[in-house]
Amino acid sequence: MLSCSNSIRGRLSRWLAIQTLVSVGLICTAVYLVIGSNFATRQTELLREKQRAIQHLATENASKDSPESLQHQLLDFFHGHPELSLVLQSNSVTQTFGKRPLNAKASMFRQLTFMLPEYGLSTGPIEAQLSMDITSDIRFLKRLALALFIGAILGAVLASLGAAWLVRRALTPIDILSRQVAKLSPERLGERLETKAPPAEILPLMAHFNALLERIEGAYAQMEEFNANLAHELRTPLATLIGETELALSSKRYERSLEEMLVSNLEDLHRMERVISDILLLARADGGTRIKTEPTNSIAITIQEVMDYHEAQAEEADVKLLLVGDASALISRTLFQRAVSNLLSNAIRHADAFSDVLIVVEAADEEVRIAVCNLGTPVAQEHLVRCFERFVRLPAERVSSDQDHFGLGLAIVAAIARMHGGKTFTRSVDRLVTMGFTVARPIPIH
């Protein structure tokens, strides 16, 4: 099992918790700074308001030349404001109004310094220092900071728990799909992944995985069919060999009869050898084996050699072979000729008597198409789509009674096409049946 630290659920929960803590912390910090700034602004405005009032009193009393009156008014002014204090300092005298605690820290006060006109007790301008005790505001801000800190931690914890629950719930479909995948087996390949109302992000994964299961199911069924067909193809010659050999060992045989038996056994052995060779070629194609190709300027010449080889078969079937078109291509000459030979042999066997078998070569931008056409019994679509599979034969009315054809010829064509980076194609229109494959064209050098 994956550790929690390496799981999507664990990573999402942790990052959501960190993000929540940072976000709530930033919000609380902003709240604290805004309230602190508001307090500072309010304190400054209050000091300036008191400054204007003191300056007004000083100006009035300076014109009356009544210092005792100013002191009286200042004492009355500060009597109702215990948080305020005023220090007047000149060259000759220092006076204090209001109460300021002894040994008080300067950080506990907000001060404002300004000048006053001289009056009776002074011999020049007076420097006034107005102070405000902000101890209560500082205590309030400290309590507020503590409350915001605790609120941020609690909020982050609650949000993290909620986020973890939401993440777990959001990933529930993945857990369901994981359990479904764990239950899959070769005996249950027909099952598909499904869940109620899956999230949009999981739908493509489910679709691709179900498509993969369909391909695996098809490949598994094809493999079972292939194994059954292979066993059938090899069982018949093996049974013949075993029977004839047992018969020869159980009775006295003349030299002539033994020779005939050996010839018959050799034919069966050759047939088995061809089946095994074809299966090995198909296995190489399935394994992605690369073949050595070389540019060929005229594949028509290569195809004509194959046509010459099948001329006797064509004459026996009263069929005429025709070739149209030419092109250059990248091919393995031996494999390419074998693919054309298999298509041509198949077309001759299923062509109507006194008809033509036409080989058409067409060059496209990046590939060359080799199509073999013959007139014969129409082939249904359900048989066309499977004709290049292994051990698949056409319907009985189109299958030759020759036991040498056991359903691997067209499959080999498909394998050789894949080795050349191409593909196969089929088409049946009325009585015209077309089968072929493509190969790559050489890249022109400019």
Side-chain angles (χ1 to χ4, degrees):
M1 294 181 60
L2 291 175
S3 63
C4 183
S5 61
N6 196 34
S7 67
I8 296 177
R9 182 181 292 109
R11 290 200 298 268
L12 282 178
S13 299
R14 283 196 305 274
W15 281 111
L16 285 174
I18 294 173
Q19 183 178 4
T20 301
L21 180 60
V22 172
S23 300
V24 174
L26 290 175
I27 293 174
C28 291
T29 303
V31 170
Y32 177 82
L33 293 176
V34 168
I35 293 177
S37 176
N38 186 42
F39 275 21
T41 301
R42 181 179 60 82
Q43 294 159 3
T44 301
E45 290 178 352
L46 182 59
L47 285 174
R48 293 196 179 280
E49 180 183 345
K50 301 305 179 184
Q51 173 195 354
R52 289 191 292 270
I54 293 171
Q55 288 175 331
H56 178 70
L57 291 175
T59 302
E60 284 186 346
N61 284 277
S63 61
K64 296 177 181 180
D65 194 17
S66 177
E68 293 82 1
S69 176
L70 176 60
Q71 292 181 30
H72 251 325
Q73 289 179 346
L74 288 176
L75 288 172
D76 292 340
F77 181 83
F78 286 99
H79 181 71
H81 300 283
E83 76 280 5
L84 297 174
S85 62
L86 177 66
V87 177
L88 300 179
Q89 187 173 6
S90 66
N91 294 332
S92 59
V93 67
T94 298
Q95 288 183 303
T96 302
F97 300 90
K99 295 181 179 180
R100 178 168 178 171
L102 297 175
N103 301 323
K105 294 181 179 179
S107 59
M108 306 299 288
F109 289 86
R110 186 172 295 277
Q111 297 178 340
L112 183 63
T113 302
F114 54 94
M115 303 303 294
L116 291 176
E118 61 178 294
Y119 65 100
L121 298 179
S122 66
T123 58
I126 300 172
E127 182 182 88
Q129 188 179 68
L130 181 62
S131 300
M132 175 186 287
D133 186 357
I134 58 173
T135 303
S136 60
D137 290 347
I138 292 176
R139 289 174 179 171
F140 173 80
L141 288 175
K142 288 182 177 179
R143 292 194 297 268
L144 176 64
L146 179 61
L148 290 176
F149 176 76
I150 295 175
I153 297 298
L154 291 177
V157 170
L158 293 176
S160 301
L161 293 176
W165 180 79
L166 289 175
V167 169
R168 181 182 297 275
R169 184 171 181 179
L171 296 179
T172 298
I174 295 181
D175 294 333
I176 296 174
L177 296 180
S178 178
R179 289 193 292 270
Q180 292 181 7
V181 172
K183 293 179 181 179
L184 292 177
S185 64
E187 294 77 21
R188 305 175 65 175
L189 286 179
E191 297 183 3
R192 298 292 180 264
L193 299 184
E194 56 183 12
T195 182
K196 294 182 179 178
E201 293 81 3
I202 298 180
L203 281 175
L205 176 63
M206 290 179 58
H208 292 314
F209 194 86
N210 286 335
L212 175 62
L213 287 178
E214 290 182 4
R215 293 194 294 271
I216 293 176
E217 183 182 12
Y220 195 79
Q222 185 178 6
M223 181 182 69
E224 289 184 336
E225 182 181 2
F226 171 76
N227 292 337
N229 289 328
L230 178 61
H232 174 75
E233 293 296 335
L234 295 179
R235 182 179 60 183
T236 301
L238 282 174
T240 302
L241 289 172
I242 292 173
E244 291 183 354
T245 303
E246 289 178 345
L247 180 61
L249 292 174
S250 63
S251 60
K252 294 183 179 180
R253 304 291 294 269
Y254 293 103
E255 181 179 347
R256 177 65 179 172
S257 62
L258 287 174
E259 182 180 354
E260 292 176 354
M261 182 195 69
L262 291 175
V263 170
S264 175
N265 289 352
L266 184 61
E267 291 178 354
D268 288 334
L269 289 171
H270 282 311
R271 184 168 182 264
M272 293 171 61
E273 181 187 24
R274 287 195 300 273
V275 172
I276 294 173
S277 298
D278 291 344
I279 291 173
L280 288 175
L281 178 61
L282 294 174
R284 287 176 56 200
D286 291 341
T289 301
R290 293 186 178 183
I291 59 173
K292 184 177 180 180
T293 60
E294 55 185 14
T296 302
N297 294 328
S298 175
I299 62 173
I301 297 176
T302 305
I303 295 174
Q304 186 61 54
E305 293 176 0
V306 179
M307 295 172 62
D308 294 341
Y309 175 79
H310 286 277
E311 190 64 39
Q313 180 187 4
E315 290 181 359
E316 184 179 352
D318 294 325
V319 171
K320 184 178 181 181
L321 305 181
L322 300 175
L323 173 62
V324 176
D326 194 5
S328 59
L330 287 171
I331 61 172
S332 169
R333 184 182 181 87
T334 303
L335 291 176
F336 178 81
Q337 287 186 328
R338 183 171 184 180
V340 174
S341 176
N342 287 358
L343 286 175
L344 196 57
S345 175
N346 181 77
I348 293 173
R349 286 189 293 111
H350 298 105
D352 292 339
F354 308 107
S355 64
D356 297 335
V357 172
L358 179 64
I359 303 177
V360 180
V361 179
E362 296 177 331
D365 293 335
E366 299 180 355
E367 64 181 17
V368 177
R369 292 169 55 92
I370 299 93
V372 180
C373 312
N374 68 278
L375 288 175
T377 304
V379 181
Q381 184 63 30
E382 60 268 21
H383 296 116
L384 277 179
V385 297
R386 298 194 60 204
C387 65
F388 285 101
E389 295 179 9
R390 302 168 189 180
F391 294 115
V392 173
R393 294 181 173 88
L394 294 177
E397 63 272 12
R398 288 181 51 83
V399 177
S400 171
S401 58
D402 190 350
Q403 294 299 317
D404 288 337
H405 303 285
F406 36 81
L408 288 178
L410 296 181
I412 290 174
V413 174
I416 293 174
R418 291 197 302 273
M419 289 180 172
H420 284 82
K423 58 183 182 297
T424 57
F425 56 88
T426 59
R427 185 172 61 252
S428 179
V429 180
D430 295 333
R431 296 178 56 79
L432 180 63
V433 180
T434 302
M435 296 184 181
F437 65 101
T438 63
V439 295
R441 293 192 68 186
I443 301 176
I445 301 176
H446 299 287

Short mmCIF file of all heavy atoms in Angstrom, two decimals, residues 290-326:
data_model
loop_
_atom_site.label_atom_id
_atom_site.label_comp_id
_atom_site.label_asym_id
_atom_site.label_seq_id
_atom_site.Cartn_x
_atom_site.Cartn_y
_atom_site.Cartn_z
N ARG A 290 11.51 -5.36 -35.97
CA ARG A 290 11.81 -4.47 -37.09
C ARG A 290 12.49 -5.26 -38.19
O ARG A 290 13.32 -6.14 -37.93
CB ARG A 290 12.71 -3.33 -36.63
CG ARG A 290 12.02 -2.37 -35.65
CD ARG A 290 12.91 -1.19 -35.36
NE ARG A 290 12.26 -0.25 -34.48
CZ ARG A 290 12.79 0.92 -34.10
NH1 ARG A 290 13.99 1.25 -34.55
NH2 ARG A 290 12.13 1.72 -33.29
N ILE A 291 12.14 -4.94 -39.39
CA ILE A 291 12.72 -5.62 -40.54
C ILE A 291 13.60 -4.64 -41.30
O ILE A 291 13.44 -3.41 -41.18
CB ILE A 291 11.62 -6.19 -41.47
CG1 ILE A 291 10.71 -5.06 -41.96
CG2 ILE A 291 10.81 -7.25 -40.75
CD1 ILE A 291 9.72 -5.50 -43.00
N LYS A 292 14.52 -5.17 -42.02
CA LYS A 292 15.42 -4.34 -42.82
C LYS A 292 14.76 -4.08 -44.17
O LYS A 292 14.50 -5.02 -44.94
CB LYS A 292 16.76 -5.04 -43.00
CG LYS A 292 17.78 -4.20 -43.75
CD LYS A 292 19.11 -4.91 -43.84
CE LYS A 292 20.14 -4.05 -44.59
NZ LYS A 292 21.46 -4.74 -44.70
N THR A 293 14.48 -2.81 -44.43
CA THR A 293 13.86 -2.45 -45.71
C THR A 293 14.86 -1.67 -46.55
O THR A 293 15.83 -1.11 -46.03
CB THR A 293 12.61 -1.58 -45.48
OG1 THR A 293 12.98 -0.38 -44.78
CG2 THR A 293 11.57 -2.33 -44.68
N GLU A 294 14.60 -1.66 -47.82
CA GLU A 294 15.45 -0.91 -48.75
C GLU A 294 14.57 -0.27 -49.81
O GLU A 294 13.51 -0.81 -50.17
CB GLU A 294 16.48 -1.84 -49.41
CG GLU A 294 15.86 -3.03 -50.12
CD GLU A 294 16.91 -3.98 -50.66
OE1 GLU A 294 18.09 -3.87 -50.27
OE2 GLU A 294 16.54 -4.83 -51.48
N PRO A 295 14.94 0.90 -50.27
CA PRO A 295 14.12 1.58 -51.29
C PRO A 295 14.13 0.80 -52.60
O PRO A 295 15.17 0.32 -53.06
CB PRO A 295 14.78 2.95 -51.43
CG PRO A 295 16.18 2.77 -50.91
CD PRO A 295 16.11 1.69 -49.88
N THR A 296 12.95 0.65 -53.17
CA THR A 296 12.78 -0.05 -54.45
C THR A 296 12.13 0.91 -55.42
O THR A 296 11.02 1.41 -55.16
CB THR A 296 11.91 -1.30 -54.29
OG1 THR A 296 12.52 -2.17 -53.33
CG2 THR A 296 11.77 -2.04 -55.60
N ASN A 297 12.78 1.19 -56.51
CA ASN A 297 12.26 2.19 -57.46
C ASN A 297 11.02 1.71 -58.19
O ASN A 297 10.16 2.52 -58.52
CB ASN A 297 13.35 2.56 -58.48
CG ASN A 297 14.51 3.28 -57.83
OD1 ASN A 297 14.32 4.01 -56.85
ND2 ASN A 297 15.71 3.09 -58.37
N SER A 298 10.91 0.39 -58.41
CA SER A 298 9.76 -0.14 -59.14
C SER A 298 9.30 -1.43 -58.47
O SER A 298 9.93 -2.48 -58.64
CB SER A 298 10.13 -0.40 -60.60
OG SER A 298 9.05 -1.02 -61.28
N ILE A 299 8.21 -1.32 -57.71
CA ILE A 299 7.69 -2.54 -57.09
C ILE A 299 6.89 -3.34 -58.10
O ILE A 299 6.56 -4.50 -57.85
CB ILE A 299 6.82 -2.22 -55.86
CG1 ILE A 299 5.60 -1.38 -56.26
CG2 ILE A 299 7.62 -1.52 -54.79
CD1 ILE A 299 4.63 -1.18 -55.10
N ALA A 300 6.57 -2.75 -59.27
CA ALA A 300 5.86 -3.51 -60.31
C ALA A 300 6.71 -4.68 -60.78
O ALA A 300 6.19 -5.77 -61.07
CB ALA A 300 5.51 -2.60 -61.48
N ILE A 301 8.03 -4.47 -60.86
CA ILE A 301 8.91 -5.57 -61.28
C ILE A 301 8.87 -6.69 -60.24
O ILE A 301 8.82 -7.88 -60.57
CB ILE A 301 10.35 -5.03 -61.44
CG1 ILE A 301 10.40 -3.98 -62.56
CG2 ILE A 301 11.31 -6.17 -61.74
CD1 ILE A 301 11.77 -3.33 -62.72
N THR A 302 8.88 -6.31 -58.95
CA THR A 302 8.81 -7.30 -57.87
C THR A 302 7.50 -8.07 -57.91
O THR A 302 7.46 -9.29 -57.71
CB THR A 302 8.99 -6.62 -56.51
OG1 THR A 302 10.20 -5.86 -56.52
CG2 THR A 302 9.03 -7.63 -55.38
N ILE A 303 6.40 -7.35 -58.17
CA ILE A 303 5.09 -7.99 -58.24
C ILE A 303 4.99 -8.90 -59.46
O ILE A 303 4.39 -9.98 -59.41
CB ILE A 303 3.98 -6.92 -58.25
CG1 ILE A 303 3.97 -6.15 -56.92
CG2 ILE A 303 2.61 -7.55 -58.51
CD1 ILE A 303 3.01 -4.99 -56.88
N GLN A 304 5.61 -8.49 -60.58
CA GLN A 304 5.55 -9.29 -61.80
C GLN A 304 6.22 -10.65 -61.60
O GLN A 304 5.76 -11.67 -62.13
CB GLN A 304 6.25 -8.54 -62.94
CG GLN A 304 6.12 -9.22 -64.30
CD GLN A 304 4.68 -9.36 -64.76
OE1 GLN A 304 3.94 -8.38 -64.82
NE2 GLN A 304 4.27 -10.59 -65.10
N GLU A 305 7.27 -10.70 -60.77
CA GLU A 305 7.92 -11.98 -60.48
C GLU A 305 6.95 -12.90 -59.75
O GLU A 305 6.92 -14.12 -60.00
CB GLU A 305 9.16 -11.73 -59.62
CG GLU A 305 10.26 -10.98 -60.36
CD GLU A 305 11.44 -10.67 -59.45
OE1 GLU A 305 11.39 -11.04 -58.26
OE2 GLU A 305 12.42 -10.05 -59.93
N VAL A 306 6.14 -12.33 -58.85
CA VAL A 306 5.14 -13.13 -58.13
C VAL A 306 4.07 -13.62 -59.11
O VAL A 306 3.61 -14.77 -59.03
CB VAL A 306 4.52 -12.32 -56.98
CG1 VAL A 306 3.46 -13.14 -56.24
CG2 VAL A 306 5.60 -11.85 -56.01
N MET A 307 3.65 -12.75 -60.02
CA MET A 307 2.63 -13.14 -61.01
C MET A 307 3.15 -14.27 -61.90
O MET A 307 2.39 -15.20 -62.23
CB MET A 307 2.24 -11.92 -61.86
CG MET A 307 1.54 -10.82 -61.06
SD MET A 307 1.29 -9.30 -62.02
CE MET A 307 0.24 -9.90 -63.34
N ASP A 308 4.40 -14.22 -62.27
CA ASP A 308 4.97 -15.29 -63.09
C ASP A 308 4.94 -16.62 -62.33
O ASP A 308 4.68 -17.69 -62.93
CB ASP A 308 6.41 -14.95 -63.49
CG ASP A 308 6.48 -13.75 -64.42
OD1 ASP A 308 5.43 -13.42 -65.04
OD2 ASP A 308 7.55 -13.11 -64.51
N TYR A 309 5.19 -16.57 -61.03
CA TYR A 309 5.18 -17.78 -60.22
C TYR A 309 3.78 -18.38 -60.15
O TYR A 309 3.63 -19.62 -60.11
CB TYR A 309 5.68 -17.44 -58.81
CG TYR A 309 5.61 -18.59 -57.84
CD1 TYR A 309 6.57 -19.59 -57.85
CD2 TYR A 309 4.57 -18.66 -56.91
CE1 TYR A 309 6.50 -20.65 -56.96
CE2 TYR A 309 4.49 -19.72 -56.01
CZ TYR A 309 5.46 -20.71 -56.04
OH TYR A 309 5.38 -21.76 -55.17
N HIS A 310 2.73 -17.54 -60.16
CA HIS A 310 1.35 -18.02 -60.05
C HIS A 310 0.68 -18.21 -61.41
O HIS A 310 -0.53 -18.44 -61.47
CB HIS A 310 0.51 -17.04 -59.21
CG HIS A 310 0.81 -17.10 -57.74
ND1 HIS A 310 0.25 -18.03 -56.90
CD2 HIS A 310 1.63 -16.33 -56.97
CE1 HIS A 310 0.70 -17.82 -55.66
NE2 HIS A 310 1.55 -16.81 -55.68
N GLU A 311 1.44 -18.10 -62.47
CA GLU A 311 0.84 -18.21 -63.81
C GLU A 311 0.19 -19.57 -64.02
O GLU A 311 -0.90 -19.69 -64.59
CB GLU A 311 1.92 -17.95 -64.86
CG GLU A 311 1.38 -17.79 -66.28
CD GLU A 311 0.50 -16.57 -66.42
OE1 GLU A 311 0.83 -15.53 -65.81
OE2 GLU A 311 -0.54 -16.65 -67.11
N ALA A 312 0.87 -20.65 -63.57
CA ALA A 312 0.31 -21.99 -63.75
C ALA A 312 -0.99 -22.14 -62.97
O ALA A 312 -1.97 -22.71 -63.47
CB ALA A 312 1.33 -23.04 -63.29
N GLN A 313 -1.05 -21.64 -61.75
CA GLN A 313 -2.28 -21.71 -60.96
C GLN A 313 -3.40 -20.92 -61.64
O GLN A 313 -4.56 -21.37 -61.66
CB GLN A 313 -2.03 -21.15 -59.55
CG GLN A 313 -3.27 -21.18 -58.65
CD GLN A 313 -3.06 -20.46 -57.33
OE1 GLN A 313 -2.00 -19.88 -57.11
NE2 GLN A 313 -4.06 -20.49 -56.47
N ALA A 314 -3.06 -19.77 -62.24
CA ALA A 314 -4.06 -18.96 -62.92
C ALA A 314 -4.61 -19.68 -64.15
O ALA A 314 -5.81 -19.65 -64.42
CB ALA A 314 -3.47 -17.60 -63.29
N GLU A 315 -3.71 -20.33 -64.93
CA GLU A 315 -4.16 -21.05 -66.12
C GLU A 315 -5.07 -22.21 -65.73
O GLU A 315 -6.07 -22.50 -66.40
CB GLU A 315 -2.95 -21.55 -66.90
CG GLU A 315 -2.15 -20.45 -67.58
CD GLU A 315 -0.97 -21.01 -68.35
OE1 GLU A 315 -0.78 -22.25 -68.32
OE2 GLU A 315 -0.22 -20.21 -68.96
N GLU A 316 -4.73 -22.89 -64.65
CA GLU A 316 -5.56 -24.02 -64.21
C GLU A 316 -6.95 -23.55 -63.79
O GLU A 316 -7.93 -24.26 -63.98
CB GLU A 316 -4.86 -24.72 -63.04
CG GLU A 316 -5.59 -25.97 -62.56
CD GLU A 316 -4.86 -26.65 -61.43
OE1 GLU A 316 -3.71 -26.25 -61.12
OE2 GLU A 316 -5.43 -27.59 -60.83
N ALA A 317 -7.04 -22.33 -63.23
CA ALA A 317 -8.33 -21.80 -62.80
C ALA A 317 -9.01 -20.99 -63.89
O ALA A 317 -10.07 -20.38 -63.64
CB ALA A 317 -8.15 -20.93 -61.56
N ASP A 318 -8.43 -20.95 -65.11
CA ASP A 318 -8.97 -20.15 -66.22
C ASP A 318 -9.11 -18.69 -65.82
O ASP A 318 -10.15 -18.03 -66.05
CB ASP A 318 -10.33 -20.71 -66.68
CG ASP A 318 -10.21 -22.09 -67.28
OD1 ASP A 318 -9.19 -22.36 -67.95
OD2 ASP A 318 -11.11 -22.93 -67.05
N VAL A 319 -8.06 -18.15 -65.23
CA VAL A 319 -8.04 -16.75 -64.77
C VAL A 319 -6.86 -16.06 -65.40
O VAL A 319 -5.77 -16.63 -65.52
CB VAL A 319 -7.95 -16.68 -63.22
CG1 VAL A 319 -7.71 -15.25 -62.77
CG2 VAL A 319 -9.24 -17.20 -62.61
N LYS A 320 -7.05 -14.79 -65.77
CA LYS A 320 -5.98 -14.00 -66.37
C LYS A 320 -5.49 -12.97 -65.35
O LYS A 320 -6.29 -12.29 -64.69
CB LYS A 320 -6.50 -13.29 -67.63
CG LYS A 320 -5.42 -12.52 -68.37
CD LYS A 320 -5.99 -11.89 -69.63
CE LYS A 320 -4.91 -11.12 -70.40
NZ LYS A 320 -5.48 -10.47 -71.61
N LEU A 321 -4.17 -12.83 -65.21
CA LEU A 321 -3.58 -11.90 -64.25
C LEU A 321 -3.18 -10.61 -64.95
O LEU A 321 -2.53 -10.63 -66.01
CB LEU A 321 -2.34 -12.52 -63.58
CG LEU A 321 -2.55 -13.88 -62.89
CD1 LEU A 321 -1.24 -14.35 -62.25
CD2 LEU A 321 -3.64 -13.76 -61.83
N LEU A 322 -3.54 -9.45 -64.35
CA LEU A 322 -3.23 -8.14 -64.91
C LEU A 322 -2.61 -7.26 -63.81
O LEU A 322 -2.95 -7.37 -62.63
CB LEU A 322 -4.48 -7.46 -65.45
CG LEU A 322 -5.24 -8.20 -66.57
CD1 LEU A 322 -6.52 -7.45 -66.91
CD2 LEU A 322 -4.36 -8.33 -67.81
N LEU A 323 -1.70 -6.38 -64.23
CA LEU A 323 -1.03 -5.46 -63.30
C LEU A 323 -1.16 -4.04 -63.83
O LEU A 323 -0.87 -3.77 -65.01
CB LEU A 323 0.45 -5.83 -63.15
CG LEU A 323 1.32 -4.87 -62.33
CD1 LEU A 323 0.83 -4.77 -60.89
CD2 LEU A 323 2.79 -5.32 -62.36
N VAL A 324 -1.58 -3.13 -62.94
CA VAL A 324 -1.76 -1.73 -63.32
C VAL A 324 -1.04 -0.86 -62.27
O VAL A 324 -1.23 -1.04 -61.08
CB VAL A 324 -3.25 -1.32 -63.38
CG1 VAL A 324 -3.39 0.17 -63.67
CG2 VAL A 324 -3.98 -2.16 -64.40
N GLY A 325 -0.22 0.09 -62.76
CA GLY A 325 0.42 1.05 -61.88
C GLY A 325 1.79 0.61 -61.42
O GLY A 325 2.19 -0.56 -61.54
N ASP A 326 2.53 1.58 -60.87
CA ASP A 326 3.87 1.32 -60.34
C ASP A 326 4.21 2.44 -59.36
O ASP A 326 3.60 3.52 -59.37
CB ASP A 326 4.89 1.27 -61.48
CG ASP A 326 6.22 0.68 -61.04
OD1 ASP A 326 6.29 0.22 -59.87
OD2 ASP A 326 7.17 0.68 -61.84
#
